[in-house]
Amino acid sequence: MKAKDITETEGTLPRDVLPTINLYMDQVIQLFEQHYGKMKRNEKETILTKTMINNYAKGKLFHPVKNKKYTNEHLMLLSLIYEMKGLLSISDIKETLRPLNESDETFSLEDFYEAYQAQKVKNLEAFEAQADTLLSTSLEKESDVKRTLAIASAVHMSHLYQRLAEQLIDEN
């Protein structure tokens, strides 16, 4: 296994796949399944459900939906929510997205999202370098102990990044 194997399944919702029309909830779910489905660990895992979307709306994680149709802004925010929900609480996600939701007309969520996509490319490159080192160590002599060490190390790095995100949120 190589880090590239992991990053190739890193499904994203790039701006260029955002539709030019507004979507109904079922279409939103289908779009997310298409682009994030590669990230599923198994077939039972769900990417996005009606209940999740309704809970995010009730929690005011994005602007109200008009006529049951979701705009590209909704899709961009749902993408950010999806990527954050594995590590952050809903209240932390709401606080993180607050500046995006409370911005004035001069702010462009599309420009922010494009900058985020560019940052993700840099993050993937840095991850691949670190992960390849970790994977090569864990695969030496196919040792179960080294594999366990690699798993523990990856979890530790994930925890450190989670704590960094939480500290950035708490500084507000």
Side-chain angles (χ1 to χ4, degrees), residues 11 84 141:
M84 292 179 190
K141 300 179 187 174

Side-chain angles (χ1 to χ4, degrees), residues 23-32 48 70 75 78:
L23 302 178
Y24 289 106
M25 187 181 295
D26 288 337
Q27 294 169 312
V28 171
I29 292 169
Q30 184 178 25
L31 179 68
F32 273 70
L48 195 60
Y70 294 80
L75 297 176
L78 281 167

Side-chain angles (χ1 to χ4, degrees), residues 55-156:
N55 287 340
Y56 302 151
K58 287 178 190 173
K60 300 188 186 315
L61 273 69
F62 52 79
H63 303 293
V65 175
K66 294 179 184 166
N67 300 322
K68 298 184 181 183
K69 289 188 176 183
Y70 294 80
T71 65
N72 279 350
E73 284 198 358
H74 290 113
L75 297 176
M76 287 182 254
L77 290 168
L78 281 167
S79 180
L80 291 168
I81 293 166
Y82 174 77
E83 294 188 26
M84 292 179 190
K85 75 177 184 164
L87 292 175
L88 298 176
S89 68
I90 293 297
S91 61
D92 281 348
I93 295 171
K94 183 177 181 178
E95 178 59 27
T96 300
L97 297 179
R98 184 182 49 74
L100 306 182
N101 285 315
E102 293 178 358
S103 59
D104 60 19
E105 300 83 36
T106 62
F107 172 77
S108 168
L109 182 59
E110 290 175 352
D111 289 345
F112 169 85
Y113 196 73
E114 193 169 297
Y116 171 67
Q117 293 295 328
Q119 184 61 51
K120 282 179 69 171
V121 170
K122 293 175 185 174
N123 293 348
L124 290 171
E125 290 168 0
F127 169 80
E128 286 176 5
Q130 288 180 326
D132 279 337
T133 301
L134 191 60
L135 287 168
S136 67
T137 302
S138 71
L139 296 176
E140 291 173 5
K141 300 179 187 174
E142 301 295 322
S143 166
D144 285 343
V145 172
K146 288 193 179 202
R147 188 175 138 281
T148 301
L149 178 60
I151 293 166
S153 180
V155 169
H156 179 250

